Amino acid sequence: MAAKVIRCKAAICRNAGEPLIIEEIEVDPPHAWEVRIKILCTSLCHSDLSTWKLTSGPAASFPRIFGHEAVGVVECVGEHVEEVKEGEMVVPVFLANCGDCRDCKSKKSNLCSKFPRVNYSGMPRDGGSRFRDMKGEALNHFLFVSSFSEYTVVDITHVVKISSQIPLDRACLLSCGVPTGVGAVWKVANVEEGSTVAIFGLGTVGLAVAEGARLCKASKIIGVDLNPQKFEIGKKFGITHFVNPTTCGENSVPEVIKEMTEDGVDYSFECIGLASSMQDAFTSTRQDAGVGEDSDTRHRVARSAC
């Protein structure tokens, strides 16, 4: 039986910076190589907030349905979709993986060259929308996911099947925050066993960095955060030492970290997105720890802010 248009509710942003409004919308059936997903749980990422504020540029497309960290169940599939089937649990992801291009097959890159991120407001193959409001106006997609809707349509290259045993409120983080942090450790910095690591910001990304560093058997993992409650949480993910900037006294955070290590850590990860914390991350690393394209670059730092 052919899939039909679904009516459901979605949180729509009509203009940049305006509050999201819950409205009834129509969601088209999936086209070829597409999957329609019933969203079960979604979370808010800082990238949603950053794009929500944009008033110009290719990414400023309104009205729009935001959201890209989610988990759901396959409601139906389009032609040529063999990777997933109705009823299976999936995580939609904003980075495509065609599995065939040179970059998808490479161990050095995960930026698909067959489906590059050049279309900011529609589906990756035809650029069109699968959403309409009740006046028939097309609604723009966001990062090929748009999870702030009860149902969404995603290209199969943006879908990953997962176990149904994973708790929903944690599974939704696997599409962005967790791989951003763990990937920064494994894929970007290549942290070696015995290394020392500093993490600025212990949110989802920062805690994922800690988990990645733990799995890489770092000898010392220092968490930096203003919230003392994050320290106890961080221990579960491998944090061994903590620094609260408000309790450092006359010393700066980099000075405290250098006292805790041999003149600085081997790797710093900035997981907040602030210029000041980025500077502290650089200053907290050993001066002879790494390499860079610039002859003045002396620090080994991976910026891990989603």
Side-chain angles (χ1 to χ4, degrees):
M1 182 181 297
K4 299 180 179 180
V5 172
I6 281 181
R7 283 193 178 186
C8 67
K9 292 183 179 180
I12 300 175
C13 182
R14 290 288 176 180
N15 294 290
E18 292 185 357
L20 278 59
I21 303 173
I22 303 298
E23 299 184 26
E24 190 173 38
I25 67 168
E26 291 186 338
V27 183
D28 288 338
H31 293 193
W33 293 287
E34 294 176 359
V35 179
R36 189 159 64 187
I37 302 170
K38 180 180 181 180
I39 298 297
L40 300 178
C41 186
T42 185
S43 58
L44 177 67
C45 175
H46 198 277
S47 296
D48 296 300
L49 179 62
S50 298
T51 311
W52 170 72
K53 298 177 180 179
L54 293 179
T55 58
S56 62
S61 302
F62 298 93
R64 163 173 266 167
I65 300 176
F66 282 104
H68 66 280
E69 287 189 337
V71 61
V73 59
V74 175
E75 183 267 335
C76 63
V77 301
E79 291 183 303
H80 311 306
V81 173
E82 299 177 352
E83 295 85 349
V84 297
K85 59 185 178 181
E86 180 181 342
E88 291 185 325
M89 298 286 291
V90 294
V91 166
V93 293
F94 64 90
L95 288 179
N97 188 335
C98 72
D100 295 323
C101 72
R102 175 181 178 181
D103 291 308
C104 284
K105 291 181 178 180
S106 171
K107 294 182 179 180
K108 298 181 179 180
S109 172
N110 65 337
L111 295 177
C112 179
S113 52
K114 184 176 180 180
F115 297 100
R117 285 174 56 190
V118 295
N119 181 355
Y120 291 94
S121 58
M123 299 296 291
R125 296 177 194 263
D126 62 15
S129 174
R130 304 294 181 261
F131 303 118
R132 290 183 305 277
D133 64 16
M134 299 315 294
K135 294 181 180 180
E137 180 181 6
L139 302 170
N140 291 299
H141 291 238
F142 179 64
L143 290 180
F144 312 108
V145 176
S146 290
S147 59
F148 291 174
S149 173
E150 291 179 316
Y151 288 86
T152 189
V153 178
V154 181
D155 193 275
I156 187 57
T157 59
H158 291 266
V159 175
V160 178
K161 184 168 64 173
I162 65 169
S163 169
S164 59
Q165 297 180 353
I166 302 177
L168 297 179
D169 59 346
R170 302 177 188 180
C172 65
L173 301 176
L174 296 175
S175 61
C176 183
V178 171
T180 297
V182 175
V185 178
W186 283 357
K187 300 294 185 179
V188 179
N190 295 313
V191 171
E192 303 93 349
E193 182 176 351
S195 299
T196 54
V197 172
I199 306 167
F200 289 76
L202 298 179
T204 298
V205 177
L207 293 175
V209 168
E211 177 66 11
R214 183 189 68 82
L215 293 173
C216 289
K217 299 181 179 179
S219 62
K220 185 174 291 186
I221 305 173
I222 304 169
V224 182
D225 201 288
L226 295 171
N227 185 352
Q229 295 181 353
K230 295 290 185 69
F231 298 164
E232 290 301 317
I233 297 174
K235 290 180 181 179
K236 300 178 182 179
F237 293 87
I239 298 291
T240 59
H241 298 74
F242 303 96
V243 176
N244 187 333
T246 64
T247 61
C248 290
E250 297 181 355
N251 295 326
S252 66
V253 171
E255 289 174 338
V256 172
I257 290 178
K258 288 185 176 182
E259 289 179 359
M260 299 169 64
T261 57
E262 295 180 3
D263 197 32
V265 293
D266 298 310
Y267 297 91
S268 284
F269 296 84
E270 196 281 328
C271 306
I272 304 171
L274 295 175
S276 57
S277 57
M278 173 60 75
Q279 181 60 50
D280 283 346
F282 272 100
T283 309
S284 298
T285 55
R286 293 192 299 112
Q287 294 187 2
D288 59 347
V291 296
E293 297 178 0
D294 190 324
S295 60
D296 293 331
T297 301
R298 302 174 300 170
H299 309 295
R300 182 180 290 176
V301 177
R303 182 179 185 274
S304 171
C306 176

